[in-house]
Amino acid sequence: MGVPPKTTIEKERLCLHQSLRYRDQQPEDMEPKQIKEGYLVKKGTVLNSWKVVWVMLSEDGMEFFKRKTDNAPKGMIPLKGAVLTSPCQDFSKRTFVFKLRTAKNQDHYFQASHLEERESWVKDIKRVITCLQGDRKFTRKSTRRSIRLPDTINLSELYILMRDQEDGVKELKLEKEKRVYNHCFTGGTVVDWLISKDKARNRPEALMLATGLLNEGFLQPAGDLSKEASEGGAESAVLDDPDALYYFADSGFFCEGYSSDEDVILKEEFRGNIIKQGCLLKQGHRRKNWNVRKFILRDDPAYIHYYDPTKGDENPLGSIHLRGSVITAVEFVPEAKRYDVDGNLFEIITSDDTHYFLQATTPEERKEWIKAIHTVSKTGK
């Protein structure tokens, strides 16, 4: 057999080179785009226990990891054909829960640490599902919520207006049936505000809007009367009644005196307004191990409380009095164990010289927490 012409060999080499280059680039080019990541609490499918997981949302599904630093996920949830339910009210003791039902009718439950976090996840997941159904690429656009309201109504914007300190719904201290409810308001107050701000033409229309806010978790029932109405099957879950009490989901609401199982008697340190909340890694003082904790920062008095996010109750594991504290970014943690905690670390040193080491998920998040805690430590009591 003769030797192939040089031009033929060169062509074959060129084709091989292009093929290898295409093969090397293909996995990267076909890799689903990562959209969002962060801590969520997930209900187990076997033991039914709730655990903190690190979740990564991409263009075709959600992967969840035992730890943020793990390379291999514990599981993957395909989103094509999935149905999202939010708010999910299957668990009476848990708030900010949403449910994903896959195309194979497998249910997955997730819990966010606060309202804005849940809304952010829900919005992006819904968009992914919509894009998969239409075979389109993910882009962030506004989507309507599950409740039936006119397209001109944006409940998130409405909630922000209602929370305005100057022109919003006024939070009061009200006494009903030997109980004192702090940072709350009546259903009638909500209706009056909606009409006065031209958000509704009449009281029935205002009640429809208020019910939408309640169903989406922006409003919460405070007393027995309002709780019974919200759990009933009436068309309006909000009562236009001076005895029906409600509060904002992210307010400093608390009840004093005799209380039902769902109400909590809170101490003075819980009275401040919530400034910031979310999940962070915290180093333990005794064993020096690291665990994900939910943190709630309050002002006046200046406290930050931390909770086990897997528990359904509202009792904190501990608190840090921030008045006179020093907050700084750090590059390493002494005696760090079990976890690789390099990056995004910061330290709180209290006035009694107690040291707390925390880790945020991103440099931007660390900067936000340090700024918020520093402000509260200077202005709060």
Side-chain angles (χ1 to χ4, degrees):
M1 297 179 61
V3 178
K6 184 177 180 181
T7 54
T8 303
I9 296 176
E10 289 176 347
K11 287 181 180 179
E12 289 178 351
R13 286 176 177 173
L14 178 62
C15 290
L16 178 61
H17 174 71
Q18 290 176 338
S19 176
L20 290 173
R21 185 175 64 179
Y22 177 79
R23 187 186 68 182
D24 292 339
Q25 292 178 348
Q26 188 72 0
E28 183 179 352
D29 294 342
M30 298 299 291
E31 188 75 19
K33 176 185 175 183
Q34 183 180 317
I35 296 166
K36 189 180 183 67
E37 60 181 341
Y39 290 114
L40 289 172
V41 179
K42 185 180 185 298
K43 181 178 178 291
T45 54
V46 179
L47 299 177
N48 293 327
S49 59
W50 294 77
K51 301 289 185 183
V52 176
V53 291
W54 180 258
V55 181
M56 297 178 64
L57 173 66
S58 63
E59 290 178 315
D60 62 350
M62 290 175 66
E63 291 181 322
F64 52 95
F65 301 75
K66 185 176 180 180
R67 298 185 182 93
K68 181 177 181 288
T69 53
D70 288 350
N71 294 320
K74 288 183 65 179
M76 193 272 188
I77 304 172
L79 292 179
K80 188 169 185 178
V83 176
L84 188 146
T85 303
S86 177
C88 174
Q89 300 174 337
D90 293 1
F91 309 94
S92 60
K93 298 293 183 179
R94 291 184 178 271
T95 56
F96 314 128
V97 175
F98 62 91
K99 178 175 74 172
L100 273 171
R101 173 166 289 180
T102 67
K104 295 183 178 181
N105 291 324
Q106 295 176 324
D107 290 340
H108 299 271
Y109 296 92
F110 292 91
Q111 182 182 22
S113 63
H114 56 282
L115 183 64
E116 285 83 358
E117 184 179 62
R118 186 193 69 183
E119 291 294 296
S120 177
W121 277 100
V122 166
K123 184 175 181 179
D124 282 346
I125 294 171
K126 281 185 175 180
R127 188 63 186 165
V128 168
I129 293 173
T130 302
C131 290
L132 287 171
Q133 289 173 344
D135 197 23
R136 302 193 303 272
K137 288 288 186 181
F138 176 91
T139 55
R140 281 195 169 90
K141 296 181 181 179
S142 60
T143 57
R144 292 301 301 161
R145 280 155 280 275
S146 59
I147 59 175
R148 295 181 180 276
L149 288 174
D151 291 338
T152 55
I153 300 298
N154 186 314
L155 292 179
S156 296
E157 292 180 0
L158 184 59
Y159 177 71
I160 293 173
L161 294 174
M162 294 177 71
R163 295 283 280 129
D164 185 85
Q165 295 293 320
E166 299 295 330
D167 206 31
V169 175
K170 303 303 179 184
E171 297 175 280
L172 304 172
K173 183 176 182 178
L174 301 173
E175 184 174 352
K176 299 288 182 182
E177 299 177 353
K178 298 182 180 180
R179 282 181 281 181
V180 179
Y181 297 88
N182 297 266
H183 298 286
C184 70
F185 41 83
T186 68
T189 300
V190 175
V191 171
D192 291 339
W193 185 89
L194 289 169
I195 294 174
S196 68
K197 301 303 177 184
D198 296 325
K199 304 302 179 182
R201 293 169 295 180
N202 49 52
R203 301 191 84 79
E205 189 171 287
L207 283 172
M208 181 187 70
L209 281 177
T211 297
L213 290 163
L214 184 75
N215 290 342
E216 290 295 297
F218 293 108
L219 301 182
Q220 296 290 326
D224 294 334
L225 181 63
S226 55
K227 289 177 182 178
E228 290 175 3
S230 66
E231 295 170 358
E235 181 178 352
S236 174
V238 175
L239 297 178
D240 186 2
D241 191 308
D243 292 324
L245 305 181
Y246 302 88
Y247 63 94
F248 294 122
D250 288 340
S251 72
F253 169 78
F254 63 99
C255 177
E256 297 173 296
Y258 172 80
S259 64
S260 63
D261 291 339
E262 293 184 8
D263 294 325
V264 182
I265 301 175
L266 299 176
K267 299 178 182 179
E268 174 69 23
E269 63 192 55
F270 290 86
R271 293 177 184 266
N273 294 320
I274 295 177
I275 303 301
K276 186 174 178 59
Q277 53 187 321
C279 286
L280 298 167
L281 267 177
K282 176 184 176 295
Q283 186 191 49
H285 277 94
R286 288 183 295 178
R287 292 185 292 177
K288 305 299 181 183
N289 58 330
W290 292 78
N291 289 292
V292 177
R293 298 295 182 227
K294 173 183 174 179
F295 285 82
I296 298 181
L297 174 64
R298 292 179 171 91
D299 66 354
D300 198 22
Y303 274 90
I304 186 168
H305 297 85
Y306 51 95
Y307 304 73
D308 183 346
T310 66
K311 306 297 183 184
D313 57 46
E314 299 179 357
N315 297 319
L317 297 174
S319 63
I320 306 172
H321 191 198
L322 296 172
R323 181 63 176 170
S325 296
V326 177
I327 304 94
T328 57
V330 295
E331 299 304 321
F332 70 95
V333 175
E335 302 181 78
K337 295 182 179 180
R338 293 183 59 185
Y339 282 92
D340 179 8
V341 291
D342 290 338
N344 308 320
L345 297 161
F346 63 99
E347 179 183 14
I348 300 174
I349 306 176
T350 64
S351 58
D352 62 356
D353 202 32
T354 303
H355 295 239
Y356 296 88
F357 292 99
L358 308 170
Q359 184 188 38
T361 58
T362 64
E364 292 77 16
E365 185 183 54
R366 177 175 70 170
K367 186 183 298 183
E368 291 172 0
W369 272 106
I370 291 176
K371 182 179 179 181
I373 296 172
H374 177 76
T375 301
V376 168
S377 70
K378 298 300 181 185
T379 60
K381 295 178 182 178

